[in-house]
Amino acid sequence: MSTEPYEGVVKVDFDNGVAWVTLNRPDKRNCMNPTLNRVMHDVLDDLEDDDRCGVLVLTGEGTSFSAGMDLKEYFRETEAKGHMATRRAQRDSYGWWRRLRWFEKPTIAMVNGWCFGGAFAPLFACDLAIAADEAQFGLSEINWGILPGGGATKVVEQLMNQRQAMYYILTGEMLGGQKAAELGLVNESVPLGDLRGRVRALADVLLAKNPVTVKAAKDAFKRVIDMTYDDAEDYLVVRQEAANHLDKTEGRKEGIRQFIDEKSYKPGLASYRR
Ligand code: COA
C-alpha cells in the first residue's frame, strides 16, 4: 500500500480557508477507481473536522476534472469478482458523492477539463460549480453501451430541461464550459487561465458568511426540492430554529444590531462583520 497520504490518488492542499481537493490520477484522466472512491471517504471525514477547511473545492490534476468511472477497474475487474463486489464498489462511490452532497461546509466544483459520465455525480454533489470554457462535458455512457447510471441521469433531470437532458443522454454529444453554464450544469464558465482566481474569489465570498447559516441555507435548498410548498414553509421555520440553536455567536441578532443600532453596514449590500 502507498505511504503517500490518500494513497496518492487524491491531493489535499490548504490555502487561507480553502481545501483544494484534487483527484490525482492524471495519467488515467482522473477516472474513479475503487481505491479513489474508498479514499474519498477519508478525505471528507478529515476535512469536515479540520478548521483549515472553510470551503472545499473539488478539481482534477492535469487535463481532466474526471473521465468518469474507471472502465477497467470499477466495471470490468469488479464485475469479474461477482455481484457483491459490484455492490460494494457502488456503495463506496455513491457513498462519497452523498457525503459530498451533504458536506458540512460549502463546496465548489472547479471543472478544469474532461467531465464524463460518473463525474456528473460529484459535479452535482458540489453546491456550486465553475467551469473552464475549455472543459468538455459528456454523458458518454451511450457510446460504450450503458445508460448514464450512478446518478448521472438524475443529475441532468435535475439541472437541465427535459429536451436537453434527453438529447445529451441519447447522443453522448459533448458540450463545452459556456454551453454547460447556459444549460445550468454549472454556474458559470471562464477562460482556463482565470478559473482558479474566479473560484478563489467565490470561496472568499462564502468564507465571509456565517458558516452555520451557510450550512442551513444549502441543506434547506436541497431538501425543499422534493417538498410541497406547505411542507417547505414549515421545514424552513424549523430548520432556521435549529440553526439559531446551533449558532453560538447568535449571528442573526448581531446582523440586526450592526444594521439597526450601529448602522455600520446594509444587509442588502454586504454581509455583517463577523
Ligand atoms: N476508464 C478507464 N481508463 C480511462 C478512462 C476511464 N473512464 N478514461 C481514460 N482512461 C485511461 C485510458 O485508457 C488511457 O490509459 P493508458 O494510458 O493506459 O492507455 C489513459 O487514461 C489516457 O486516456 P486517453 O484516452 O489516451 O486520453 P485522451 O486525453 O486522449 O482522451 C478522454 C481523454 C477522457 C476523452 C478519453 O480517455 C475517454 O474517452 N475516456 C472515457 C470517458 C468515459 O466514457 N467515461 C465515462 C465513464 S462512466
Side-chain angles (χ1 to χ4, degrees), residues 81-108:
K81 291 180 193 154
H83 180 67
M84 287 319 294
T86 297
R87 285 286 176 272
R88 249 193 315 276
Q90 288 166 338
R91 224 170 20 240
D92 277 350
S93 55
Y94 301 175
W96 80 260
W97 302 333
R98 191 176 309 118
R99 292 269 341 260
L100 184 60
R101 217 157 60 236
W102 299 105
F103 196 67
E104 285 293 322
K105 300 158 185 187
T107 55
I108 305 172

Short mmCIF file of all heavy atoms in Angstrom, two decimals, residues 81-108:
data_model
loop_
_atom_site.label_atom_id
_atom_site.label_comp_id
_atom_site.label_asym_id
_atom_site.label_seq_id
_atom_site.Cartn_x
_atom_site.Cartn_y
_atom_site.Cartn_z
N LYS A 81 -15.33 -10.07 -10.17
CA LYS A 81 -15.29 -10.60 -8.79
C LYS A 81 -16.68 -10.96 -8.27
O LYS A 81 -16.82 -11.42 -7.14
CB LYS A 81 -14.65 -9.57 -7.86
CG LYS A 81 -13.17 -9.36 -8.11
CD LYS A 81 -12.61 -8.32 -7.14
CE LYS A 81 -11.23 -7.85 -7.56
NZ LYS A 81 -10.92 -6.51 -7.09
N GLY A 82 -17.71 -10.69 -9.05
CA GLY A 82 -19.05 -11.11 -8.64
C GLY A 82 -19.94 -9.96 -8.20
O GLY A 82 -19.51 -8.82 -8.03
N HIS A 83 -21.20 -10.34 -7.99
CA HIS A 83 -22.27 -9.39 -7.71
C HIS A 83 -21.99 -8.54 -6.46
O HIS A 83 -22.18 -7.33 -6.47
CB HIS A 83 -23.56 -10.20 -7.53
CG HIS A 83 -24.75 -9.38 -7.23
ND1 HIS A 83 -25.31 -8.50 -8.14
CD2 HIS A 83 -25.51 -9.27 -6.11
CE1 HIS A 83 -26.35 -7.91 -7.60
NE2 HIS A 83 -26.49 -8.35 -6.37
N MET A 84 -21.51 -9.19 -5.40
CA MET A 84 -21.32 -8.43 -4.16
C MET A 84 -20.18 -7.43 -4.29
O MET A 84 -20.22 -6.35 -3.68
CB MET A 84 -21.08 -9.36 -2.96
CG MET A 84 -22.33 -10.10 -2.50
SD MET A 84 -23.84 -9.11 -2.49
CE MET A 84 -23.49 -7.91 -1.22
N ALA A 85 -19.18 -7.77 -5.08
CA ALA A 85 -18.08 -6.82 -5.32
C ALA A 85 -18.61 -5.58 -6.03
O ALA A 85 -18.24 -4.44 -5.72
CB ALA A 85 -16.98 -7.49 -6.12
N THR A 86 -19.50 -5.81 -6.97
CA THR A 86 -20.11 -4.68 -7.69
C THR A 86 -20.92 -3.80 -6.72
O THR A 86 -20.80 -2.58 -6.74
CB THR A 86 -21.05 -5.19 -8.81
OG1 THR A 86 -20.25 -5.92 -9.74
CG2 THR A 86 -21.76 -4.07 -9.52
N ARG A 87 -21.68 -4.46 -5.86
CA ARG A 87 -22.47 -3.69 -4.89
C ARG A 87 -21.55 -2.88 -3.94
O ARG A 87 -21.85 -1.73 -3.62
CB ARG A 87 -23.36 -4.63 -4.05
CG ARG A 87 -24.56 -5.15 -4.79
CD ARG A 87 -25.62 -4.05 -4.96
NE ARG A 87 -26.75 -4.53 -5.76
CZ ARG A 87 -26.81 -4.45 -7.10
NH1 ARG A 87 -25.83 -3.88 -7.77
NH2 ARG A 87 -27.84 -4.92 -7.75
N ARG A 88 -20.45 -3.49 -3.54
CA ARG A 88 -19.51 -2.79 -2.65
C ARG A 88 -18.92 -1.57 -3.35
O ARG A 88 -18.82 -0.49 -2.78
CB ARG A 88 -18.39 -3.73 -2.21
CG ARG A 88 -18.44 -4.12 -0.75
CD ARG A 88 -17.17 -4.78 -0.23
NE ARG A 88 -16.63 -5.80 -1.10
CZ ARG A 88 -17.03 -7.08 -1.13
NH1 ARG A 88 -18.00 -7.49 -0.35
NH2 ARG A 88 -16.48 -7.94 -1.97
N ALA A 89 -18.54 -1.76 -4.60
CA ALA A 89 -17.95 -0.65 -5.37
C ALA A 89 -18.96 0.48 -5.54
O ALA A 89 -18.62 1.67 -5.44
CB ALA A 89 -17.48 -1.15 -6.74
N GLN A 90 -20.22 0.10 -5.77
CA GLN A 90 -21.26 1.13 -5.90
C GLN A 90 -21.46 1.86 -4.57
O GLN A 90 -21.59 3.08 -4.53
CB GLN A 90 -22.58 0.48 -6.34
CG GLN A 90 -22.54 0.03 -7.79
CD GLN A 90 -23.69 -0.90 -8.15
OE1 GLN A 90 -24.30 -1.54 -7.29
NE2 GLN A 90 -23.98 -1.00 -9.45
N ARG A 91 -21.45 1.09 -3.48
CA ARG A 91 -21.64 1.70 -2.16
C ARG A 91 -20.55 2.74 -1.89
O ARG A 91 -20.83 3.82 -1.40
CB ARG A 91 -21.61 0.60 -1.09
CG ARG A 91 -22.68 0.76 -0.08
CD ARG A 91 -22.89 -0.38 0.88
NE ARG A 91 -21.83 -1.31 1.07
CZ ARG A 91 -21.93 -2.63 0.82
NH1 ARG A 91 -23.05 -3.11 0.32
NH2 ARG A 91 -20.92 -3.44 1.06
N ASP A 92 -19.32 2.41 -2.24
CA ASP A 92 -18.22 3.33 -1.99
C ASP A 92 -18.34 4.61 -2.83
O ASP A 92 -18.12 5.71 -2.34
CB ASP A 92 -16.87 2.67 -2.28
CG ASP A 92 -16.39 1.84 -1.09
OD1 ASP A 92 -16.99 1.94 0.00
OD2 ASP A 92 -15.42 1.08 -1.26
N SER A 93 -18.65 4.45 -4.11
CA SER A 93 -18.71 5.64 -4.96
C SER A 93 -19.95 6.47 -4.65
O SER A 93 -19.84 7.67 -4.34
CB SER A 93 -18.67 5.25 -6.44
OG SER A 93 -19.70 4.33 -6.73
N TYR A 94 -21.12 5.82 -4.64
CA TYR A 94 -22.34 6.58 -4.35
C TYR A 94 -22.22 7.20 -2.96
O TYR A 94 -22.73 8.30 -2.69
CB TYR A 94 -23.59 5.70 -4.38
CG TYR A 94 -23.87 4.99 -5.70
CD1 TYR A 94 -24.92 4.09 -5.81
CD2 TYR A 94 -23.09 5.21 -6.83
CE1 TYR A 94 -25.19 3.43 -7.00
CE2 TYR A 94 -23.36 4.55 -8.02
CZ TYR A 94 -24.40 3.66 -8.10
OH TYR A 94 -24.67 3.00 -9.28
N GLY A 95 -21.55 6.48 -2.06
CA GLY A 95 -21.42 6.94 -0.68
C GLY A 95 -20.66 8.25 -0.56
O GLY A 95 -21.09 9.16 0.16
N TRP A 96 -19.54 8.37 -1.27
CA TRP A 96 -18.78 9.64 -1.09
C TRP A 96 -19.46 10.78 -1.81
O TRP A 96 -19.40 11.93 -1.36
CB TRP A 96 -17.29 9.49 -1.41
CG TRP A 96 -16.79 9.51 -2.83
CD1 TRP A 96 -16.46 8.43 -3.57
CD2 TRP A 96 -16.44 10.66 -3.64
NE1 TRP A 96 -15.96 8.82 -4.81
CE2 TRP A 96 -15.93 10.19 -4.87
CE3 TRP A 96 -16.52 12.05 -3.45
CZ2 TRP A 96 -15.51 11.03 -5.91
CZ3 TRP A 96 -16.10 12.90 -4.49
CH2 TRP A 96 -15.61 12.39 -5.68
N TRP A 97 -20.17 10.48 -2.89
CA TRP A 97 -20.91 11.55 -3.55
C TRP A 97 -22.02 12.06 -2.63
O TRP A 97 -22.27 13.25 -2.55
CB TRP A 97 -21.53 11.06 -4.87
CG TRP A 97 -20.51 10.54 -5.84
CD1 TRP A 97 -19.19 10.89 -5.93
CD2 TRP A 97 -20.71 9.53 -6.84
NE1 TRP A 97 -18.59 10.17 -6.93
CE2 TRP A 97 -19.48 9.34 -7.51
CE3 TRP A 97 -21.82 8.78 -7.26
CZ2 TRP A 97 -19.33 8.43 -8.55
CZ3 TRP A 97 -21.67 7.88 -8.30
CH2 TRP A 97 -20.44 7.71 -8.94
N ARG A 98 -22.69 11.10 -1.93
CA ARG A 98 -23.75 11.52 -0.99
C ARG A 98 -23.15 12.34 0.15
O ARG A 98 -23.69 13.38 0.54
CB ARG A 98 -24.46 10.27 -0.44
CG ARG A 98 -25.74 10.59 0.33
CD ARG A 98 -26.46 9.31 0.77
NE ARG A 98 -26.66 8.38 -0.32
CZ ARG A 98 -26.15 7.14 -0.39
NH1 ARG A 98 -25.40 6.67 0.60
NH2 ARG A 98 -26.37 6.37 -1.43
N ARG A 99 -22.01 11.88 0.70
CA ARG A 99 -21.35 12.64 1.77
C ARG A 99 -21.01 14.05 1.30
O ARG A 99 -21.15 15.02 2.02
CB ARG A 99 -20.04 11.95 2.19
CG ARG A 99 -20.16 10.63 2.88
CD ARG A 99 -20.24 10.75 4.39
NE ARG A 99 -19.77 11.98 4.96
CZ ARG A 99 -18.58 12.18 5.52
NH1 ARG A 99 -17.74 11.20 5.59
NH2 ARG A 99 -18.25 13.33 6.04
N LEU A 100 -20.54 14.14 0.05
CA LEU A 100 -20.17 15.46 -0.51
C LEU A 100 -21.42 16.33 -0.67
O LEU A 100 -21.38 17.53 -0.42
CB LEU A 100 -19.47 15.25 -1.86
CG LEU A 100 -18.92 16.49 -2.55
CD1 LEU A 100 -17.87 17.20 -1.69
CD2 LEU A 100 -18.31 16.11 -3.91
N ARG A 101 -22.54 15.70 -1.07
CA ARG A 101 -23.77 16.47 -1.27
C ARG A 101 -24.23 17.14 0.02
O ARG A 101 -24.79 18.23 0.00
CB ARG A 101 -24.85 15.52 -1.79
CG ARG A 101 -25.76 16.12 -2.80
CD ARG A 101 -26.46 15.11 -3.69
NE ARG A 101 -27.29 14.16 -3.00
CZ ARG A 101 -27.14 12.84 -3.08
NH1 ARG A 101 -26.20 12.32 -3.84
NH2 ARG A 101 -27.95 12.03 -2.43
N TRP A 102 -23.98 16.47 1.14
CA TRP A 102 -24.45 17.00 2.43
C TRP A 102 -23.28 17.44 3.30
O TRP A 102 -23.39 17.51 4.52
CB TRP A 102 -25.30 15.93 3.15
CG TRP A 102 -26.49 15.56 2.36
CD1 TRP A 102 -26.67 14.43 1.64
CD2 TRP A 102 -27.66 16.35 2.13
NE1 TRP A 102 -27.88 14.45 0.98
CE2 TRP A 102 -28.51 15.62 1.26
CE3 TRP A 102 -28.09 17.61 2.56
CZ2 TRP A 102 -29.75 16.10 0.83
CZ3 TRP A 102 -29.32 18.09 2.12
CH2 TRP A 102 -30.13 17.34 1.28
N PHE A 103 -22.15 17.77 2.68
CA PHE A 103 -20.94 18.15 3.41
C PHE A 103 -21.24 19.33 4.33
O PHE A 103 -22.05 20.20 4.01
CB PHE A 103 -19.85 18.51 2.39
CG PHE A 103 -18.46 18.55 2.97
CD1 PHE A 103 -17.85 17.40 3.43
CD2 PHE A 103 -17.75 19.74 3.05
CE1 PHE A 103 -16.56 17.43 3.97
CE2 PHE A 103 -16.48 19.79 3.58
CZ PHE A 103 -15.88 18.63 4.03
N GLU A 104 -20.57 19.35 5.47
CA GLU A 104 -20.84 20.38 6.49
C GLU A 104 -20.46 21.79 6.04
O GLU A 104 -20.89 22.76 6.63
CB GLU A 104 -20.06 20.06 7.77
CG GLU A 104 -20.64 18.92 8.58
CD GLU A 104 -21.99 19.24 9.20
OE1 GLU A 104 -22.20 20.38 9.64
OE2 GLU A 104 -22.85 18.34 9.21
N LYS A 105 -19.61 21.87 5.03
CA LYS A 105 -19.12 23.19 4.60
C LYS A 105 -19.46 23.38 3.12
O LYS A 105 -19.68 22.41 2.41
CB LYS A 105 -17.60 23.25 4.82
CG LYS A 105 -17.24 23.04 6.30
CD LYS A 105 -15.84 22.59 6.51
CE LYS A 105 -15.60 22.31 8.00
NZ LYS A 105 -14.22 22.02 8.32
N PRO A 106 -19.46 24.62 2.65
CA PRO A 106 -19.80 24.83 1.24
C PRO A 106 -18.75 24.21 0.31
O PRO A 106 -17.57 24.16 0.65
CB PRO A 106 -19.83 26.36 1.10
CG PRO A 106 -19.13 26.90 2.28
CD PRO A 106 -19.21 25.88 3.37
N THR A 107 -19.21 23.78 -0.84
CA THR A 107 -18.35 23.06 -1.78
C THR A 107 -18.48 23.67 -3.18
O THR A 107 -19.57 24.09 -3.58
CB THR A 107 -18.74 21.58 -1.84
OG1 THR A 107 -20.13 21.48 -2.15
CG2 THR A 107 -18.49 20.87 -0.51
N ILE A 108 -17.36 23.69 -3.89
CA ILE A 108 -17.35 24.22 -5.27
C ILE A 108 -16.64 23.21 -6.16
O ILE A 108 -15.53 22.77 -5.85
CB ILE A 108 -16.58 25.56 -5.35
CG1 ILE A 108 -17.13 26.59 -4.36
CG2 ILE A 108 -16.62 26.11 -6.78
CD1 ILE A 108 -16.29 27.88 -4.26
#
